[in-house]
mmCIF file of all heavy atoms in Angstrom:
data_model
loop_
_atom_site.group_PDB
_atom_site.id
_atom_site.type_symbol
_atom_site.label_atom_id
_atom_site.label_comp_id
_atom_site.label_asym_id
_atom_site.label_seq_id
_atom_site.Cartn_x
_atom_site.Cartn_y
_atom_site.Cartn_z
ATOM 1 N N ALA A 1 179.644 148.989 98.049
ATOM 2 C CA ALA A 1 178.911 148.701 96.810
ATOM 3 C C ALA A 1 177.886 149.785 96.502
ATOM 4 O O ALA A 1 177.481 149.954 95.345
ATOM 5 C CB ALA A 1 178.239 147.339 96.907
ATOM 6 N N ALA A 2 177.448 150.528 97.532
ATOM 7 C CA ALA A 2 176.520 151.641 97.355
ATOM 8 C C ALA A 2 177.260 152.942 97.057
ATOM 9 O O ALA A 2 176.675 154.028 97.176
ATOM 10 C CB ALA A 2 175.656 151.799 98.597
ATOM 11 N N ASP A 3 178.543 152.834 96.690
ATOM 12 C CA ASP A 3 179.379 153.987 96.335
ATOM 13 C C ASP A 3 179.572 154.947 97.498
ATOM 14 O O ASP A 3 179.608 156.172 97.329
ATOM 15 C CB ASP A 3 178.800 154.739 95.122
ATOM 16 C CG ASP A 3 178.866 153.912 93.850
ATOM 17 O OD1 ASP A 3 179.822 153.124 93.709
ATOM 18 O OD2 ASP A 3 177.948 154.041 93.018
ATOM 19 N N LYS A 4 179.688 154.368 98.699
ATOM 20 C CA LYS A 4 179.997 155.168 99.881
ATOM 21 C C LYS A 4 181.306 154.643 100.473
ATOM 22 O O LYS A 4 181.486 153.435 100.619
ATOM 23 C CB LYS A 4 178.874 155.069 100.924
ATOM 24 C CG LYS A 4 177.541 155.627 100.444
ATOM 25 C CD LYS A 4 176.485 155.535 101.529
ATOM 26 C CE LYS A 4 175.151 156.104 101.042
ATOM 27 N NZ LYS A 4 174.112 156.071 102.097
ATOM 28 N N PRO A 5 182.240 155.541 100.808
ATOM 29 C CA PRO A 5 183.522 155.075 101.345
ATOM 30 C C PRO A 5 183.413 154.610 102.789
ATOM 31 O O PRO A 5 182.511 155.011 103.532
ATOM 32 C CB PRO A 5 184.415 156.319 101.237
ATOM 33 C CG PRO A 5 183.458 157.469 101.311
ATOM 34 C CD PRO A 5 182.184 157.002 100.654
ATOM 35 N N VAL A 6 184.344 153.749 103.157
ATOM 36 C CA VAL A 6 184.486 153.294 104.543
ATOM 37 C C VAL A 6 185.900 153.655 104.993
ATOM 38 O O VAL A 6 186.881 153.274 104.356
ATOM 39 C CB VAL A 6 184.258 151.778 104.666
ATOM 40 C CG1 VAL A 6 184.518 151.314 106.104
ATOM 41 C CG2 VAL A 6 182.842 151.404 104.231
ATOM 42 N N PHE A 7 186.000 154.421 106.084
ATOM 43 C CA PHE A 7 187.293 154.842 106.617
ATOM 44 C C PHE A 7 187.555 154.109 107.929
ATOM 45 O O PHE A 7 186.640 153.930 108.745
ATOM 46 C CB PHE A 7 187.310 156.352 106.875
ATOM 47 C CG PHE A 7 187.127 157.192 105.645
ATOM 48 C CD1 PHE A 7 185.872 157.671 105.290
ATOM 49 C CD2 PHE A 7 188.214 157.515 104.842
ATOM 50 C CE1 PHE A 7 185.693 158.447 104.161
ATOM 51 C CE2 PHE A 7 188.057 158.301 103.708
ATOM 52 C CZ PHE A 7 186.789 158.758 103.363
ATOM 53 N N ALA A 8 188.808 153.690 108.131
ATOM 54 C CA ALA A 8 189.187 153.027 109.379
ATOM 55 C C ALA A 8 190.396 153.726 109.974
ATOM 56 O O ALA A 8 191.322 154.113 109.249
ATOM 57 C CB ALA A 8 189.496 151.556 109.141
ATOM 58 N N TYR A 9 190.383 153.879 111.302
ATOM 59 C CA TYR A 9 191.506 154.506 112.010
ATOM 60 C C TYR A 9 191.767 153.738 113.296
ATOM 61 O O TYR A 9 190.845 153.278 113.976
ATOM 62 C CB TYR A 9 191.188 155.960 112.349
ATOM 63 C CG TYR A 9 192.252 156.605 113.225
ATOM 64 C CD1 TYR A 9 193.394 157.169 112.652
ATOM 65 C CD2 TYR A 9 192.130 156.610 114.617
ATOM 66 C CE1 TYR A 9 194.375 157.747 113.453
ATOM 67 C CE2 TYR A 9 193.113 157.181 115.418
ATOM 68 C CZ TYR A 9 194.231 157.743 114.830
ATOM 69 O OH TYR A 9 195.208 158.297 115.604
ATOM 70 N N ALA A 10 193.064 153.591 113.628
ATOM 71 C CA ALA A 10 193.454 153.013 114.914
ATOM 72 C C ALA A 10 194.867 153.440 115.236
ATOM 73 O O ALA A 10 195.654 153.816 114.347
ATOM 74 C CB ALA A 10 193.344 151.494 114.897
ATOM 75 N N LEU A 11 195.191 153.375 116.493
ATOM 76 C CA LEU A 11 196.563 153.607 116.916
ATOM 77 C C LEU A 11 197.394 152.342 116.719
ATOM 78 O O LEU A 11 198.575 152.404 116.418
ATOM 79 C CB LEU A 11 196.594 154.044 118.381
ATOM 80 C CG LEU A 11 197.932 154.496 118.966
ATOM 81 C CD1 LEU A 11 198.518 155.641 118.153
ATOM 82 C CD2 LEU A 11 197.748 154.905 120.421
ATOM 83 N N ALA A 12 196.741 151.178 116.880
ATOM 84 C CA ALA A 12 197.425 149.903 116.684
ATOM 85 C C ALA A 12 196.419 148.881 116.155
ATOM 86 O O ALA A 12 195.273 148.838 116.616
ATOM 87 C CB ALA A 12 198.038 149.418 117.993
ATOM 88 N N TYR A 13 196.866 148.064 115.219
ATOM 89 C CA TYR A 13 196.027 147.030 114.629
ATOM 90 C C TYR A 13 196.553 145.652 115.023
ATOM 91 O O TYR A 13 197.756 145.382 114.927
ATOM 92 C CB TYR A 13 196.018 147.128 113.096
ATOM 93 C CG TYR A 13 195.266 148.323 112.552
ATOM 94 C CD1 TYR A 13 195.925 149.518 112.292
ATOM 95 C CD2 TYR A 13 193.907 148.251 112.298
ATOM 96 C CE1 TYR A 13 195.244 150.617 111.783
ATOM 97 C CE2 TYR A 13 193.209 149.337 111.792
ATOM 98 C CZ TYR A 13 193.884 150.520 111.532
ATOM 99 O OH TYR A 13 193.201 151.605 111.032
ATOM 100 N N ALA A 14 195.642 144.782 115.457
ATOM 101 C CA ALA A 14 195.954 143.375 115.689
ATOM 102 C C ALA A 14 195.061 142.545 114.769
ATOM 103 O O ALA A 14 194.406 143.069 113.864
ATOM 104 C CB ALA A 14 195.751 143.005 117.153
ATOM 105 N N ASP A 15 195.018 141.247 115.002
ATOM 106 C CA ASP A 15 194.308 140.338 114.094
ATOM 107 C C ASP A 15 192.855 140.739 113.879
ATOM 108 O O ASP A 15 192.385 140.842 112.737
ATOM 109 C CB ASP A 15 194.367 138.904 114.635
ATOM 110 C CG ASP A 15 195.787 138.392 114.785
ATOM 111 O OD1 ASP A 15 196.664 139.181 115.180
ATOM 112 O OD2 ASP A 15 196.017 137.201 114.531
ATOM 113 N N ASP A 16 192.118 140.955 114.980
ATOM 114 C CA ASP A 16 190.690 141.273 114.858
ATOM 115 C C ASP A 16 190.476 142.644 114.223
ATOM 116 O O ASP A 16 189.529 142.841 113.451
ATOM 117 C CB ASP A 16 190.022 141.226 116.232
ATOM 118 C CG ASP A 16 189.905 139.804 116.767
ATOM 119 O OD1 ASP A 16 190.204 138.859 116.009
ATOM 120 O OD2 ASP A 16 189.535 139.635 117.947
ATOM 121 N N HIS A 17 191.346 143.599 114.556
ATOM 122 C CA HIS A 17 191.249 144.911 113.926
ATOM 123 C C HIS A 17 191.365 144.793 112.405
ATOM 124 O O HIS A 17 190.627 145.427 111.649
ATOM 125 C CB HIS A 17 192.367 145.841 114.427
ATOM 126 C CG HIS A 17 192.374 146.104 115.893
ATOM 127 N ND1 HIS A 17 192.744 145.152 116.816
ATOM 128 C CD2 HIS A 17 192.094 147.231 116.617
ATOM 129 C CE1 HIS A 17 192.683 145.666 118.026
ATOM 130 N NE2 HIS A 17 192.281 146.924 117.939
ATOM 131 N N MET A 18 192.327 143.962 111.967
ATOM 132 C CA MET A 18 192.594 143.864 110.537
ATOM 133 C C MET A 18 191.441 143.222 109.781
ATOM 134 O O MET A 18 191.204 143.539 108.612
ATOM 135 C CB MET A 18 193.875 143.081 110.285
ATOM 136 C CG MET A 18 195.154 143.864 110.519
ATOM 137 S SD MET A 18 195.212 145.459 109.642
ATOM 138 C CE MET A 18 194.873 144.941 107.952
ATOM 139 N N VAL A 19 190.702 142.308 110.425
ATOM 140 C CA VAL A 19 189.556 141.698 109.751
ATOM 141 C C VAL A 19 188.555 142.774 109.356
ATOM 142 O O VAL A 19 188.035 142.788 108.230
ATOM 143 C CB VAL A 19 188.892 140.631 110.641
ATOM 144 C CG1 VAL A 19 187.618 140.114 109.984
ATOM 145 C CG2 VAL A 19 189.846 139.477 110.895
ATOM 146 N N LEU A 20 188.278 143.716 110.268
ATOM 147 C CA LEU A 20 187.343 144.799 109.951
ATOM 148 C C LEU A 20 187.977 145.823 109.018
ATOM 149 O O LEU A 20 187.370 146.242 108.029
ATOM 150 C CB LEU A 20 186.882 145.482 111.241
ATOM 151 C CG LEU A 20 186.013 144.663 112.192
ATOM 152 C CD1 LEU A 20 185.609 145.504 113.398
ATOM 153 C CD2 LEU A 20 184.775 144.134 111.493
ATOM 154 N N ALA A 21 189.209 146.233 109.322
ATOM 155 C CA ALA A 21 189.851 147.292 108.545
ATOM 156 C C ALA A 21 190.097 146.868 107.102
ATOM 157 O O ALA A 21 190.141 147.721 106.202
ATOM 158 C CB ALA A 21 191.169 147.693 109.200
ATOM 159 N N SER A 22 190.247 145.570 106.856
ATOM 160 C CA SER A 22 190.512 145.115 105.487
ATOM 161 C C SER A 22 189.355 145.428 104.546
ATOM 162 O O SER A 22 189.533 145.430 103.324
ATOM 163 C CB SER A 22 190.791 143.607 105.486
ATOM 164 O OG SER A 22 189.657 142.866 105.899
ATOM 165 N N HIS A 23 188.176 145.711 105.099
ATOM 166 C CA HIS A 23 187.006 146.031 104.269
ATOM 167 C C HIS A 23 186.861 147.540 104.038
ATOM 168 O O HIS A 23 185.901 147.967 103.388
ATOM 169 C CB HIS A 23 185.737 145.488 104.916
ATOM 170 C CG HIS A 23 185.672 143.999 104.959
ATOM 171 N ND1 HIS A 23 185.124 143.240 103.960
ATOM 172 C CD2 HIS A 23 186.122 143.114 105.882
ATOM 173 C CE1 HIS A 23 185.216 141.959 104.264
ATOM 174 N NE2 HIS A 23 185.821 141.859 105.426
ATOM 175 N N ALA A 24 187.784 148.328 104.565
ATOM 176 C CA ALA A 24 187.679 149.786 104.443
ATOM 177 C C ALA A 24 188.264 150.269 103.124
ATOM 178 O O ALA A 24 189.168 149.656 102.554
ATOM 179 C CB ALA A 24 188.378 150.456 105.617
ATOM 180 N N SER A 25 187.765 151.410 102.655
ATOM 181 C CA SER A 25 188.321 152.055 101.465
ATOM 182 C C SER A 25 189.685 152.657 101.769
ATOM 183 O O SER A 25 190.590 152.617 100.930
ATOM 184 C CB SER A 25 187.378 153.166 100.984
ATOM 185 O OG SER A 25 186.042 152.764 100.997
ATOM 186 N N GLU A 26 189.823 153.245 102.965
ATOM 187 C CA GLU A 26 191.089 153.815 103.412
ATOM 188 C C GLU A 26 191.342 153.374 104.842
ATOM 189 O O GLU A 26 190.470 153.513 105.704
ATOM 190 C CB GLU A 26 191.070 155.346 103.352
ATOM 191 C CG GLU A 26 191.131 155.930 101.966
ATOM 192 C CD GLU A 26 191.242 157.455 101.991
ATOM 193 O OE1 GLU A 26 191.694 158.003 103.023
ATOM 194 O OE2 GLU A 26 190.844 158.087 100.991
ATOM 195 N N VAL A 27 192.547 152.859 105.077
ATOM 196 C CA VAL A 27 192.945 152.417 106.415
ATOM 197 C C VAL A 27 194.059 153.333 106.900
ATOM 198 O O VAL A 27 195.117 153.427 106.262
ATOM 199 C CB VAL A 27 193.416 150.958 106.411
ATOM 200 C CG1 VAL A 27 193.778 150.511 107.825
ATOM 201 C CG2 VAL A 27 192.334 150.038 105.829
ATOM 202 N N TRP A 28 193.815 153.993 108.017
ATOM 203 C CA TRP A 28 194.785 154.920 108.600
ATOM 204 C C TRP A 28 195.334 154.339 109.899
ATOM 205 O O TRP A 28 194.610 153.687 110.663
ATOM 206 C CB TRP A 28 194.131 156.263 108.918
ATOM 207 C CG TRP A 28 193.858 157.133 107.727
ATOM 208 C CD1 TRP A 28 193.045 156.846 106.663
ATOM 209 C CD2 TRP A 28 194.375 158.440 107.493
ATOM 210 N NE1 TRP A 28 193.028 157.889 105.789
ATOM 211 C CE2 TRP A 28 193.835 158.894 106.260
ATOM 212 C CE3 TRP A 28 195.231 159.277 108.192
ATOM 213 C CZ2 TRP A 28 194.137 160.144 105.726
ATOM 214 C CZ3 TRP A 28 195.531 160.526 107.673
ATOM 215 C CH2 TRP A 28 194.990 160.950 106.442
ATOM 216 N N VAL A 29 196.613 154.608 110.154
ATOM 217 C CA VAL A 29 197.208 154.279 111.439
ATOM 218 C C VAL A 29 198.018 155.472 111.909
ATOM 219 O O VAL A 29 198.629 156.186 111.097
ATOM 220 C CB VAL A 29 198.095 153.007 111.354
ATOM 221 C CG1 VAL A 29 199.352 153.262 110.528
ATOM 222 C CG2 VAL A 29 198.476 152.517 112.743
ATOM 223 N N ASP A 30 198.007 155.707 113.200
ATOM 224 C CA ASP A 30 198.791 156.796 113.769
ATOM 225 C C ASP A 30 200.283 156.531 113.534
ATOM 226 O O ASP A 30 200.742 155.397 113.603
ATOM 227 C CB ASP A 30 198.504 156.911 115.269
ATOM 228 C CG ASP A 30 199.022 158.199 115.861
ATOM 229 O OD1 ASP A 30 200.247 158.300 116.064
ATOM 230 O OD2 ASP A 30 198.207 159.097 116.135
#
């Protein structure tokens, strides 16, 4: 909301990872 991006990266995503990553501007996976 402050016009700053949020980036997320992981090699593998599970349930808890996705809860946090869903709030990112860009979600990357290897």
Side-chain angles (χ1 to χ4, degrees):
D3 293 327
K4 297 182 180 182
V6 176
F7 297 96
Y9 173 85
L11 187 57
Y13 289 92
D15 300 38
D16 289 352
H17 300 72
M18 282 308 306
V19 174
L20 293 182
S22 64
H23 293 270
S25 316
E26 287 185 23
V27 182
W28 285 61
V29 69
D30 193 284

